[in-house]
């Protein structure tokens, strides 16, 4: 560790549909770091999945284009060598990895497995929580096991659909009715989601969802407010004040989330104290249900008819620009953006230290 500064491996970009969002996040994070404590080693993953590594930074990126590391080593194996250096030499260039990757290949457990293999501390959820948080079906099963209330749903694979679509449609109509929501099971950012109001729309929606994943989930429609809570911590997680999404469209889709700028975030949400406290408690339960670490955003429905709280999903790498819901929730709770970065790095190092004491070999030492 040079000059008592921590070297943070900042990893951003990626092959997912949220590549540009990741770049915005990386720029914001680089500008918020305290460079008296940290220096950054940037790793950029192109849309094609090629890795580029830059030189160490002791100050922020000036512009978005600089993040693409045009002058950096355009060699994936060179980047991997830097990550795995510790295993061969016992000393690492990197003290902690901060992955700012959303969606597939970023928050689904794949890159977390790479960090585990490289024996590096990293910010955020581990392999299991990341994978479970990305697969909406597995996530819902874990929530059910934890006793969290949620909407009714059906799911099926592409091969099951090709073998018996008629029976699946009948099952959906009997269990869920119309309207219902059709989603790819493994995808971030509301891509590929459709609202189906009839059998014709259901078939079209399923066809769309199958372009994005080989497993599809269909959920009942809920007339509800959308409430989100930030969770921060490892074994003793804390929850933020709740915020509310007031969408510009019929549901919070990709267009409403990123493109039209008309959706509002109300922080804190206008909820009575008891309801707000209950939602905060449920957010921590959801975080624990998936074995979360570091951070997550837990999203809930509060039914308009009877104020029942249903868990919708958790996001293990939520949007992280200063204008994203997660940092804004914590700002309202009294934790600044810069403090949030500090806390997340500290949590990553604590988790790593705790795991160093475990014995992964067979037999008794």
């Amino acid at each position: 560790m040079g000059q008592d500064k921590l070297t943070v491996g900042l990893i951003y970009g990626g092959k997912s549909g949220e590549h540009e969002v990741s770049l915005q996040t990386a720029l914001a994070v680089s500008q918020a770091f305290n460079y008296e404590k940290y220096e950054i080693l940037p790793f950029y993953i192109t849309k094609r999945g090629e890795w580029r590594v830059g030189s160490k930074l002791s100050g922020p990126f000036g512009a978005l284009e600089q993040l693409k590391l045009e002058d950096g080593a355009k060699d994936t194996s060179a980047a991997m060598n830097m990550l795995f250096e510790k295993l061969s030499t016992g000393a690492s260039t990197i003290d902690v990895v901060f992955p700012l990757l959303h969606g597939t290949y970023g928050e689904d457990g794949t890159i977390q497995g790479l960090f585990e293999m490289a024996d590096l501390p990293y910010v955020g959820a581990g392999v299991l929580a990341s994978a479970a948080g990305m697969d909406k079906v597995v996530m819902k099963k874990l929530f059910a096991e934890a006793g969290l209330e949620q909407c009714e749903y059906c799911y099926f694979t592409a091969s099951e659909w090709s073998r018996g679509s008629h029976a699946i449609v009948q099952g959906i109509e009997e269990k869920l009715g119309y309207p219902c929501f059709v989603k790819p099971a493994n995808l971030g950012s509301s891509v590929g989601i459709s609202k189906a109001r009839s059998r014709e729309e259901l078939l079209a929606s399923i066809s769309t969802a199958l372009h994005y994943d080989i497993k599809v989930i269909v959920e009942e429609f809920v007339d509800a407010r959308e409430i989100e809570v930030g969770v921060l911590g490892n074994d003793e997680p804390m929850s933020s004040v709740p915020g509310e999404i007031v969408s510009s469209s019929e549901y919070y889709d990709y267009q409403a989330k990123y493109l039209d700028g008309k959706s509002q975030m109300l922080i804190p949400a206008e909820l009575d104290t008891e309801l707000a406290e209950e939602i905060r408690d449920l957010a921590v339960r959801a975080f624990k249900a998936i074995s979360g670490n570091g951070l997550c955003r837990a999203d809930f429905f509060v039914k308009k008819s009877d104020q029942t709280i249903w868990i919708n999903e958790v996001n293990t790498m939520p949007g992280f620009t200063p204008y994203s819901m997660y940092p804004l929730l914590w700002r309202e709770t009294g934790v600044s953006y810069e403090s949030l970065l500090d806390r997340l790095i500290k949590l990553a190092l604590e988790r790593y230290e705790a795991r160093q004491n475990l014995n992964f070999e067979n037999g008794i030492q």
Side-chain angles (χ1 to χ4, degrees):
M1 212 187 289
Q3 306 91 42
D4 294 321
K5 283 187 184 183
L6 280 178
T7 299
V8 180
L10 206 62
I11 302 184
Y12 54 87
K15 286 167 71 176
S16 87
E18 295 173 79
H19 183 94
E20 275 73 24
V21 181
S22 173
L23 289 179
Q24 295 281 358
T25 304
L27 183 65
V29 167
S30 90
Q31 290 171 342
F33 265 124
N34 178 348
Y35 286 93
E36 288 176 15
K37 288 191 205 171
Y38 308 109
E39 54 188 3
I40 287 178
L41 185 62
F43 291 85
Y44 170 56
I45 305 174
T46 69
K47 285 183 179 179
R48 293 174 57 187
E50 298 152 350
W51 288 56
R52 296 176 185 171
V53 60
S55 46
K56 281 188 184 177
L57 296 174
S58 49
F61 284 109
L64 203 64
E65 279 305 304
Q66 291 177 6
L67 277 89
K68 296 184 180 176
L69 308 177
E70 293 297 346
D71 300 328
K74 297 176 177 60
D75 182 354
T76 299
S77 61
M80 290 298 132
N81 284 342
M82 293 190 90
L83 284 178
F84 282 89
E85 196 172 38
K86 187 172 183 177
L87 292 182
S88 55
T89 65
S92 179
T93 317
I94 304 165
D95 295 307
V96 61
V97 182
F98 202 145
L100 296 169
L101 298 159
H102 306 289
T104 324
Y105 305 113
E107 58 179 314
D108 59 0
T110 49
I111 203 161
Q112 287 75 15
L114 180 70
F115 302 147
E116 293 283 355
M117 295 295 285
D119 191 32
L120 284 170
Y122 57 95
V123 169
V127 176
L128 175 72
S130 299
M134 181 57 66
D135 188 308
K136 292 178 171 68
V137 176
V138 173
M139 187 198 306
K140 285 182 181 296
K141 289 179 176 180
L142 291 171
F143 290 158
E145 179 69 23
L148 295 165
E149 287 191 65
Q150 56 192 335
C151 67
E152 294 281 359
Y153 65 96
C154 300
Y155 67 94
F156 51 89
T157 62
S159 61
E160 287 168 343
W161 178 250
S162 64
R163 289 199 308 271
S165 60
H166 186 69
I168 289 171
V169 167
Q170 281 188 314
I172 290 167
E173 289 175 339
E174 284 168 22
K175 187 175 180 182
L176 310 178
Y178 297 109
C180 56
F181 284 106
V182 181
K183 306 177 180 182
N186 286 276
L187 213 63
S189 242
S190 314
V191 175
I193 296 179
S194 315
K195 185 177 182 180
R197 301 164 191 80
S198 63
R199 182 176 286 199
E200 188 182 2
E201 286 188 4
L202 178 65
L203 294 172
S205 298
I206 289 169
S207 175
T208 299
L210 285 169
H211 283 298
Y212 295 100
D213 195 20
I214 55 170
K215 184 160 63 172
V216 170
I217 184 166
V218 185
E219 299 171 355
E220 70 171 301
F221 169 74
V222 193
D223 186 21
R225 297 168 67 185
E226 294 186 50
I227 307 293
E228 301 186 346
V229 178
V231 182
L232 178 67
N234 286 335
D235 298 332
E236 296 175 12
M238 304 178 302
S239 54
S240 74
V241 299
E244 181 168 5
I245 294 289
V246 182
S247 180
S248 59
S249 63
E250 278 196 79
Y251 57 98
Y252 196 38
D253 61 2
Y254 190 89
Q255 178 80 20
K257 193 177 283 191
Y258 293 121
L259 305 178
D260 66 14
K262 292 176 192 162
S263 293
Q264 286 182 291
M265 294 185 285
L266 303 179
I267 307 169
E270 290 182 15
L271 298 164
D272 68 56
T273 311
E274 205 172 298
L275 194 62
E277 284 306 312
E278 190 180 348
I279 293 170
R280 291 179 78 164
D281 289 345
L282 290 170
V284 169
R285 276 177 59 189
F287 181 78
K288 289 181 173 178
I290 64 154
S291 301
N293 276 287
L295 74 163
C296 94
R297 196 191 66 231
D299 301 349
F300 295 90
F301 293 128
V302 175
K303 286 177 71 181
K304 290 178 182 174
S305 58
D306 60 4
Q307 303 295 293
T308 311
I309 307 163
W310 283 1
I311 182 80
N312 176 25
E313 62 183 11
V314 292
N315 189 318
T316 57
M317 189 55 227
F320 207 82
T321 73
Y323 312 106
S324 302
M325 183 61 124
Y326 183 85
L328 289 175
L329 288 169
W330 281 109
R331 191 180 76 179
E332 188 66 27
T333 314
V335 182
S336 72
Y337 194 67
E338 188 184 311
S339 303
L340 200 51
L341 297 175
D342 280 343
R343 297 271 277 277
L344 287 168
I345 287 169
K346 190 166 176 243
L347 288 165
L349 294 169
E350 281 174 8
R351 177 171 175 264
Y352 178 79
E353 287 304 321
R355 287 169 62 84
Q356 289 311 291
N357 301 324
L358 300 176
N359 179 7
F360 292 108
E361 295 175 23
N362 292 326
I364 298 166
Q365 293 284 304

